[in-house]
Amino acid sequence: MTINPILGKREWAVKDEYYDYYQEVARSSYADMLHDKERNEKYHAALKKAIKSMRDQGRAVKVLDIGTGTGLLSMMAANAGADSVVACEMFQPVAKCAEDVIKQNGFEDKIKIVLKHSTDLTVGPEGDLKEKANILVAEVFDTELIGEGALKTFLHAGKYLLEPDSIVIPSAASVYAQIVESPLISKWNTLFPVHVAPGKVIIPPKKVTSCHGSAAVHDVQMSQIPQDKFTRLTDPICVFEFSFTGEKSIEMNETFIKQVPSIASGSCEIVFMWWTLKMDMDGDIILNNGPKWVQPNPDKAQWRDHWMQAIYYLPEVLNVSAGDKITLTAYHDEYSLWFAIPKASNKKMTESPTCNCLVHVTDSHARIGMKNDTIRNDKYVAMLKKVISPSSVCLSISDGSLLPFMAAKLGAKKVFTIEPNHFHHNMIKSYIEDNDENNIIKIIAKEPANLSEEDFDMEKVDVLLTEPYFVNSIHPWELMHFWHLRTLLAPYLASNVSIIPEHGKLKGIAVDFEDLWKIRAPVKNAEGFNLSKFDEMIQRAISIADASVEPHPVWEYPCTALSEKFNLLEFDFSKSTFTNAFEVSGEIPISSSGICNAVVLWTDYNFEEMEITTGPIQPIVPNHPIQWCMNSQQGVYFFHPPISVIPEKHILNFKINFTISNTTFVFTIEER
């Protein structure tokens, strides 16, 4: 069962028997991990050092690899001279791939693969391990370090799977935090008032402004946040150190409290978090997962997408001056971290924050940022001012939108908003309680297909509004859902209905991504090991489970333009006839030289001369990074393989086949 994003209905779709497996493989970060050259090199160096140390002690080398994935770390160990290697992998398709990769590289007689979680491994003559290992290598980390259960994995292995005086790779981890102030980032978590007109303001409900937010980590490519958009209020602070060797106990619940000096004046709103790994027992090999500004060589910092950095939003905001002491409190349980700066010295927040206002449950960080976007809001207000009058009957169709409140504040007679989703319904209801003193706004808790004239109090709608934003519409063209809904609603619309926006355009641009292309590029080999069998598995999984266009927040991934912006599809929302199927094709000249590894797609919306974009927000400058809208995802079509292009010599062809149930995009580049 799937949700058709255009129709907004659940429907059956025929999928491959192992579709769920393929989808999990396709969505995984295995390829990105294997493209991580620094990670591979430092694991390899640490393994070589550990095996040599065991040899120097006269001990047999017995390696346990937990979460082997493709078997790369196991092959490193076997190639470096380990006497035995047991590789543990609980995900069956990847374990089978590891077998193929290991066999292809000639290590099938040296490496044993066990299809289990490490905590289920047995030791003994008939066990998974004949005897305990003395070198443990594991890559079980995520952006939050411990979110994949790393603490329990290392604790269990040390107690039950390792000999005394074993070597563990990595041997330790350090978690760093830095307190910052950032109006930009705060707008991804806290809803602010929206100014509609003098004396007309949409006020967030008190339970929204007082909510601590969600404990879910906000992972982001922190190096791409413009450094003029935040102020560092402290230097980086090490808040937790985890030893994986067994020398120190691994605590599943810890609290860190430390007074740290403020290095600037500002509001303590946000904590940036990253971590480092001590790969060897001596601490000579360090893997730093921090943003570029904390890297030893920022210009050569390793790009990676499988590990990013994390943003945490502080539950209480504290204003400080340079030189003040800040009492930073950090917490972790088995799987997550959270932070606070208690205003009372004896106040502790021992449980992770939970959302009680519904906003952080229903809305993503990008969606919250969208609602706080003053430029975007001002454009919608300007559009509405052109059509709203004291006799206007308005209907809003968008999930959890503030457009109904803009229309009400501008003097509409009545405003209806369709919110069949329980969470969105309750969230908008809380806004109504604090903003609709004249009872202008009415929530309709029905699906559009089930509406009747009674729902609109027997009146015709003369202003139809949308952002458009729908939770289930993740690809740019899926916002055609509004066009479909506009057709369903035709019986309830006045003949002279005004529709905001009037038109939508699906646009594209050919680009050269600096790094993002790697997530879909074949690995071929890593550290001298042939990984073509893995490439075959990933490509097969992608072909079965993934659409040709993937959603990504492209602002996090620098790219330069290789063509001008171009139109692919245009939607005229003023027409009540929705087109169920069509085909579009065209040619676009290449305008700049480079490696074309993708086409990025987005949507623009117009009402008369006013435009709202989810794409580039500044004019395109050749050979300079494109500045993208930060509160929307764009669609990315990757070329396999990337193509070197030259202006006047190459042209981009596109072809779109659209149907209600399936839309396919084909882009090709050819010489003129």
Side-chain angles (χ1 to χ4, degrees):
M1 183 69 73
T2 62
I3 295 178
N4 185 307
I6 305 297
L7 298 180
K9 293 181 179 179
R10 293 184 179 274
E11 56 186 29
W12 290 103
V14 177
K15 300 291 185 182
D16 184 280
E17 179 183 0
Y18 300 105
Y19 176 81
D20 289 342
Y21 280 127
Y22 288 124
Q23 186 177 55
E24 189 167 349
V25 171
R27 298 287 191 278
S28 72
S29 298
Y30 289 112
D32 179 42
M33 286 189 287
L34 295 168
H35 279 293
D36 188 339
K37 193 169 183 290
E38 180 189 22
R39 165 193 175 273
N40 298 341
E41 288 177 347
K42 290 187 173 178
Y43 266 100
H44 204 175
L47 273 164
K48 288 178 179 178
K49 183 175 180 179
I51 290 170
K52 182 179 185 302
S53 176
M54 285 294 173
R55 289 279 180 234
D56 291 346
Q57 296 174 49
R59 299 168 66 181
V61 181
K62 298 170 288 183
V63 176
L64 171 61
D65 175 8
I66 293 179
T68 192
T70 59
L72 177 61
L73 302 184
S74 290
M75 291 190 296
M76 290 177 182
N79 195 53
D83 294 298
S84 66
V85 181
V86 175
C88 171
E89 174 59 54
M90 65 177 297
F91 187 30
Q92 191 272 335
V94 175
K96 175 62 173 66
C97 177
E99 288 181 352
D100 295 339
V101 170
I102 287 166
K103 183 176 181 180
Q104 185 179 33
N105 285 272
F107 294 106
E108 65 268 31
D109 295 332
K110 298 182 179 180
I111 300 170
K112 176 184 178 182
I113 296 179
V114 180
L115 185 63
K116 285 184 179 181
H117 193 282
S118 65
T119 55
D120 296 325
L121 292 175
T122 58
V123 180
E126 304 300 322
D128 301 311
L129 291 81
K130 300 300 180 187
E131 51 188 351
K132 289 184 176 182
N134 54 23
I135 295 178
L136 169 64
V137 62
E139 208 280 60
V140 289
F141 308 108
D142 65 352
T143 291
E144 212 167 8
L145 182 73
I146 60 177
E148 293 183 2
L151 298 184
K152 185 176 180 180
T153 296
F154 284 105
L155 181 63
H156 177 271
K159 284 185 176 180
Y160 302 108
L161 305 176
L162 299 180
E163 295 177 348
D165 300 321
S166 290
I167 297 175
V168 179
I169 304 170
S171 65
S174 299
V175 176
Y176 290 87
Q178 186 170 32
I179 303 170
V180 303
E181 175 188 49
S182 174
L184 169 70
I185 297 173
S186 291
K187 288 181 179 179
W188 288 332
N189 188 69
T190 302
L191 282 167
F192 292 90
V194 176
H195 294 267
V196 178
K200 304 290 185 179
V201 183
I202 303 171
I203 305 296
K206 291 179 181 178
K207 68 177 182 179
V208 172
T209 56
S210 63
C211 180
H212 292 170
S214 169
V217 64
H218 184 185
D219 54 346
V220 67
Q221 290 284 356
M222 200 172 286
S223 297
Q224 298 309 316
I225 300 175
Q227 294 201 37
D228 63 352
K229 297 298 183 183
F230 62 89
T231 301
R232 301 172 180 86
L233 299 182
T234 67
D235 291 321
I237 311 133
C238 181
V239 293
F240 293 116
E241 292 187 278
F242 300 104
S243 174
F244 303 135
T245 63
E247 292 179 347
K248 297 179 181 178
S249 63
I250 298 176
E251 301 295 333
M252 296 297 164
N253 294 275
E254 281 186 289
T255 300
F256 166 94
I257 302 174
K258 184 176 181 180
Q259 283 201 328
V260 294
S262 173
I263 60 174
S265 299
S267 297
C268 299
E269 305 168 311
I270 293 153
V271 170
F272 287 168
M273 188 281 288
W274 62 88
W275 44 261
T276 63
L277 296 177
K278 186 167 77 172
M279 301 303 295
D280 62 329
M281 305 288 276
D282 301 321
D284 297 328
I285 306 170
I286 302 295
L287 195 157
N288 187 335
N289 193 46
K292 285 185 178 182
W293 66 79
V294 300
Q295 295 283 352
N297 298 299
D299 294 338
K300 296 181 180 179
Q302 174 70 50
W303 179 85
R304 50 177 64 100
D305 209 44
H306 59 107
W307 299 328
M308 287 191 270
Q309 296 79 41
I311 295 173
Y312 298 85
Y313 299 91
L314 292 168
E316 293 182 293
V317 176
L318 178 69
N319 294 320
V320 297
S321 298
D324 287 354
K325 293 291 186 180
I326 304 170
T327 304
L328 176 63
T329 308
Y331 308 84
H332 80 80
D333 57 21
E334 187 175 345
Y335 297 103
S336 59
L337 302 103
W338 61 100
F339 298 85
I341 303 177
K343 291 182 179 178
S345 59
N346 61 346
K347 185 177 179 181
K348 291 185 179 181
M349 188 180 68
T350 55
E351 294 184 355
S352 62
T354 56
C355 172
N356 56 23
C357 75
L358 297 181
V359 168
H360 305 94
V361 175
T362 57
D363 288 347
S364 66
H365 289 295
R367 175 59 172 159
I368 294 172
M370 197 183 296
K371 290 181 177 181
N372 283 322
D373 187 333
T374 54
I375 295 175
R376 183 177 183 274
N377 289 336
D378 288 347
K379 287 183 177 180
Y380 274 116
V381 168
M383 292 179 187
L384 288 166
K385 283 181 176 178
K386 288 181 172 287
V387 298
I388 297 292
S389 72
S391 62
S392 294
V393 176
C394 305
L395 172 60
S396 174
I397 312 174
S398 278
D399 291 342
S401 178
L402 298 183
L403 289 185
F405 300 92
M406 294 182 188
K409 296 288 184 183
L410 290 173
K413 173 186 171 184
K414 281 187 180 179
V415 181
F416 300 96
T417 181
I418 299 175
E419 295 288 0
N421 177 277
H422 171 74
F423 291 110
H424 281 123
H425 182 284
N426 288 342
M427 181 181 69
I428 294 301
K429 185 178 178 181
S430 70
Y431 261 86
I432 288 175
E433 291 170 357
D434 285 17
N435 289 275
D436 188 25
E437 61 274 8
N438 297 320
N439 297 316
I440 294 171
I441 301 171
K442 176 183 175 181
I443 307 176
I444 302 174
K446 289 183 179 181
E447 294 291 346
N450 300 326
L451 295 173
S452 67
E453 290 182 347
E454 288 78 8
D455 293 309
F456 301 105
D457 301 334
M458 307 304 290
E459 296 198 60
K460 290 290 186 180
V461 171
D462 54 22
V463 180
L464 180 62
L465 312 173
T466 188
E467 297 194 46
Y469 174 86
F470 304 100
V471 170
N472 293 322
S473 299
I474 59 173
H475 295 100
W477 63 91
E478 289 169 358
L479 297 177
M480 290 172 69
H481 179 49
F482 171 67
W483 197 9
H484 167 68
L485 294 179
R486 182 257 183 275
T487 304
L488 288 179
L489 294 167
Y492 315 111
L493 305 181
S495 59
N496 62 341
V497 64
S498 297
I499 299 179
I500 293 179
E502 287 178 309
H503 301 92
K505 294 180 182 179
L506 178 66
K507 293 189 172 184
I509 191 167
V511 301
D512 181 353
F513 274 112
E514 191 174 304
D515 293 298
L516 184 62
W517 61 274
K518 296 173 186 175
I519 68 171
R520 289 294 175 255
V523 180
K524 296 182 180 178
N525 70 76
E527 292 295 288
F529 299 98
N530 186 344
L531 298 178
S532 59
K533 290 291 184 182
F534 165 79
D535 291 334
E536 291 173 11
M537 179 193 72
I538 285 287
Q539 293 306 314
R540 175 169 165 75
I542 290 172
S543 67
I544 291 173
D546 274 1
S548 59
V549 177
E550 304 176 18
H552 290 282
V554 177
W555 73 267
E556 297 185 47
Y557 306 101
C559 63
T560 54
L562 299 178
S563 74
E564 301 296 330
K565 296 184 287 186
F566 56 90
N567 291 339
L568 291 106
L569 298 173
E570 295 193 23
F571 318 122
D572 186 347
F573 300 137
S574 66
K575 295 180 179 178
S576 61
T577 303
F578 176 73
T579 305
N580 293 322
F582 51 82
E583 182 179 299
V584 179
S585 60
E587 295 181 344
I588 304 298
I590 294 296
S591 59
S592 298
S593 298
I595 304 298
C596 187
N597 43 45
V599 172
V600 180
L601 309 176
W602 71 94
T603 43
D604 287 349
Y605 301 99
N606 301 81
F607 181 78
E608 297 182 356
E609 75 283 358
M610 290 170 284
E611 181 179 85
I612 292 172
T613 186
T614 63
I617 56 174
Q618 298 291 337
I620 303 297
V621 179
N623 302 316
H624 284 75
I626 302 172
Q627 302 300 307
W628 293 95
C629 173
M630 298 179 76
N631 297 320
S632 298
Q633 288 192 327
Q634 294 74 33
V636 181
Y637 177 103
F638 290 104
F639 283 103
H640 303 294
I643 303 166
S644 179
V645 295
I646 301 172
E648 309 295 333
K649 184 177 180 182
H650 292 97
I651 197 163
L652 173 69
N653 301 309
F654 67 86
K655 184 176 182 180
I656 306 170
N657 284 296
F658 170 82
T659 65
I660 288 293
S661 59
N662 184 38
T663 301
T664 60
F665 291 78
V666 176
F667 293 93
T668 57
I669 293 177
E670 61 181 33
E671 293 190 10
R672 288 178 179 270

